[in-house]
Amino acid sequence: VLILMATYNGAKYLDEQIQSLIEQKNVQVDILVRDDGSTDNTEEVVQDLLKDTEAGFKIEYVKKENGGLHTGYNKAIELAQTELMVCVDSDDYMPGQAVEKILDFWKENGSDQYAGIIGLDYDLNDHLIGDPLPDQKTINLIDLLVGKYPIVNGDRTNVIRTELYKAVAPMKSFEGEKNFNPHYMHLEISKKYDFLVLNENLKYVDYQP
C-alpha cells in the first residue's frame, strides 16, 4: 500500500507521522511525501528522517510548486505502483496496525469488484468524528454524500485501488484555484464502484487553523 503524505509547511508534524508509519506491524509500506511548495524546513526534516529510516521502508520525497492538495494527488497517482493507495495529511497519523488491518481486510474481502475500503477517522481525544458507517458490507460514497444513510457524514479514510485513481486522474487545475478537493475523484470512482466498509479507526485527525 502507498501512503501519500500530503504536506504544506507541516515540518513540525512529519517526524511523528513518519514514525507512526514505520512502526506499523508486520507490513511493508511505501511512503511518498508530497510537498506542495512548503516555505518552512519541511525538506530538511524529511531528508534527516530519510537518513535515519530503517532499511526496508521505501520513502520518496517530491517537492513541487504550491498548487493545492489536488495537484499533489495527481503526481502521487502518476508515481504510484502499489495495489492500494491512501492519503494521510501531514498533521494526521495512522494508529498502530492500521495498515495491517487494511491489508488483511482487503486480502479477505477485496477484489476488482470494489473501489477500495472506507474506514473511520478519530480526533486526538480518541473520539469518532461523525457516526459509525452503516452495518453493511459495502457503501457508495455518492449515496453517503447526499444523505441516503441516517448518519452524520463526519470524516472518513478512503483506501483506493490505484488503478481506479489512474483511470480518473489527473484532476483538472483552474488558474488561481488551489482548494479543489480530491474527493471529487472518489465520487467519480463511486459512479461505477462501491466501497467495502471497515468500521475501525484508520486515522487520527489533528485539525489545524
Side-chain angles (χ1 to χ4, degrees):
V1 60
L2 172 68
I3 309 296
L4 166 60
M5 293 176 52
T7 185
Y8 174 72
N9 288 346
K12 62 182 179 180
Y13 307 107
L14 287 170
D15 190 3
E16 178 180 10
Q17 189 194 39
I18 290 180
Q19 290 301 326
S20 73
L21 293 173
I22 291 173
E23 293 168 3
Q24 297 288 319
K25 305 299 183 183
N26 306 318
V27 293
Q28 172 67 51
V29 296
D30 292 349
I31 303 170
L32 174 61
V33 181
R34 189 64 177 149
D35 185 349
D36 193 32
S38 293
T39 57
D40 64 0
N41 63 328
T42 290
E43 184 169 2
E44 178 184 348
V45 169
V46 174
Q47 294 300 339
D48 287 343
L49 287 169
L50 290 178
K51 295 175 185 177
D52 297 334
T53 299
E54 299 177 9
F57 281 85
K58 180 181 177 182
I59 303 181
E60 184 175 359
Y61 173 75
V62 180
K63 187 172 184 178
K64 57 177 284 298
E65 182 180 351
N66 181 256
L69 181 59
H70 69 288
T71 61
Y73 266 77
N74 285 344
K75 189 60 178 180
I77 292 167
E78 177 187 328
L79 296 174
Q81 298 179 350
T82 55
E83 182 181 8
L84 301 172
M85 180 175 161
V86 59
C87 180
V88 182
D89 291 341
S90 59
D91 48 1
D92 305 333
Y93 67 94
M94 302 183 83
Q97 297 185 305
V99 176
E100 183 178 11
K101 288 179 181 179
I102 289 169
L103 294 178
D104 286 348
F105 186 75
W106 183 254
K107 183 178 180 180
E108 181 177 349
N109 301 284
S111 74
D112 59 8
Q113 178 182 351
Y114 306 111
I117 299 168
I118 180 171
L120 306 177
D121 286 358
Y122 280 63
D123 65 24
L124 298 190
N125 294 315
D126 215 29
H127 296 144
L128 173 63
I129 301 173
D131 289 335
L133 292 160
D135 185 17
Q136 57 194 52
K137 182 176 182 179
T138 64
I139 197 170
N140 186 275
L141 298 190
I142 297 174
D143 291 340
L144 182 61
L145 181 67
V146 300
K148 179 179 178 180
Y149 306 101
I151 61 174
V152 176
N153 232 338
D155 267 359
R156 314 290 182 202
T157 292
N158 299 309
V159 184
I160 312 291
R161 281 202 290 132
T162 301
E163 66 175 306
L164 298 184
Y165 260 147
K166 290 182 181 291
V168 298
M171 283 185 64
K172 296 179 181 179
S173 291
F174 301 92
E175 185 175 357
E177 178 57 69
K178 298 180 181 179
N179 190 26
F180 191 5
N181 197 314
H183 194 50
Y184 173 84
M185 289 189 288
H186 305 154
L187 299 176
E188 285 292 302
I189 291 170
S190 278
K191 290 179 179 178
K192 296 182 178 180
Y193 298 92
D194 291 340
F195 283 72
L196 291 164
V197 172
L198 179 56
N199 260 314
E200 296 197 36
N201 180 11
L202 299 184
K203 186 170 63 185
Y204 283 109
V205 177
D206 186 10
Y207 295 113
Q208 300 301 315

